[in-house]
Amino acid sequence: MKEKPILFSGPMIRAILANTKTQTRRIFKPDRMTWDANGRYTTHAMRGGELSITGSGPFKPSSWLHYCPYGQPGGDRLYVRETWAAPHAYDHLPPRLIPQDARIHYAATEDRGGLLWRPSIHMPRWASRITLEVTGVRVETLQDISEADALAEGIVRQPDGGYGLGDTTHYHFTNPRYSYFSLWEAINGEGSVDANPFVWCVSFSRVTP
């Protein structure tokens, strides 16, 4: 079993805690990889040197699944990093020196003004409150997402029959896919949906504390 960190924003944390989010999509990022309209790819190395294969040919997502940076089904886990804070007595300390019995606060679910909120990237493992077990991994293009998968990404049915996040943002009146595309573009920038990148699609279940 391997355990790796993963970052989520506040709305996604709330969706995970509400059990409405069981998937995440992350951009597929091999180094120096391009593909053409016929689905042929050319690559030299995966990021970090994890892939030694070189050459070109038809792009076959199944051949890349072993290299998913977010783990594999069958026991691998992800611990969630989110925006956090410790009591003021530790404001002068770097995260590595904060004692593990400190009371940790979480920005996604606590409205406590005045705290020194720390970036999610600096959250130590012991402070993480959410652990996810990887249940599925695949590669697909962003626009291949189905309505069911958009709902698994945390999009929920609204009282008026439309779709959006639990806080009603990224609303679309008929289709959860377009609600998810609005969310993706808010995170990844204008034009990122039209670019239709290949993405890692990682399914997970929350491990009961």
Side-chain angles (χ1 to χ4, degrees):
M1 181 186 77
K2 297 179 181 178
E3 190 174 68
K4 301 181 179 182
I6 188 169
L7 276 61
F8 282 104
S9 65
M12 297 298 94
I13 293 292
R14 292 190 289 273
I16 290 172
L17 293 175
N19 296 317
T20 60
K21 183 174 179 63
T22 57
Q23 282 185 12
T24 186
R25 280 164 172 74
R26 306 293 168 112
I27 294 177
F28 182 91
K29 293 181 178 179
D31 285 341
R32 300 185 300 280
M33 178 173 178
T34 59
W35 46 83
D36 60 25
N38 296 319
R40 295 180 64 83
Y41 75 89
T42 300
T43 188
H44 299 284
M46 283 291 288
R47 188 170 301 278
E50 295 179 359
L51 181 65
S52 60
I53 298 172
T54 61
S56 64
F59 180 71
K60 298 179 179 179
S62 59
S63 66
W64 293 79
L65 296 184
H66 176 72
Y67 300 99
C68 179
Y70 304 101
Q72 297 291 321
D76 285 0
R77 292 183 173 187
L78 300 165
Y79 68 90
V80 174
R81 284 174 164 171
E82 57 182 298
T83 303
W84 62 292
H88 284 302
Y90 307 116
D91 283 355
H92 65 292
L93 294 178
R96 63 185 176 81
L97 295 182
I98 296 174
Q100 296 189 20
D101 60 354
R103 165 69 167 89
I104 299 302
H105 303 275
Y106 304 95
T109 52
E110 296 183 57
D111 183 14
R112 296 177 64 88
L115 287 173
L116 177 64
W117 292 113
R118 298 172 184 256
S120 55
I121 191 66
H122 295 148
M123 172 177 271
R125 172 67 184 97
W126 62 264
S128 175
R129 60 174 168 167
I130 301 173
T131 301
L132 309 172
E133 182 167 336
V134 177
T135 59
V137 173
R138 67 180 187 272
V139 177
E140 63 186 22
T141 60
L142 177 67
Q143 294 180 23
D144 281 340
I145 190 171
S146 66
E147 292 189 12
D149 283 347
L151 295 173
E153 282 276 4
I155 302 301
V156 296
R157 188 80 177 265
Q158 302 295 317
D160 65 354
Y163 296 91
L165 292 180
D167 59 6
T168 72
T169 57
H170 303 290
Y171 178 85
H172 193 274
F173 60 95
T174 60
N175 195 316
R177 294 176 68 250
Y178 290 100
S179 179
Y180 177 72
F181 291 154
S182 172
L183 172 63
W184 178 273
E185 195 137 302
I187 296 171
N188 295 282
E190 184 177 356
S192 56
V193 173
D194 288 339
N196 196 25
F198 281 100
V199 294
W200 294 109
C201 176
V202 181
S203 299
F204 55 81
S205 60
R206 185 156 61 103
V207 177
T208 302

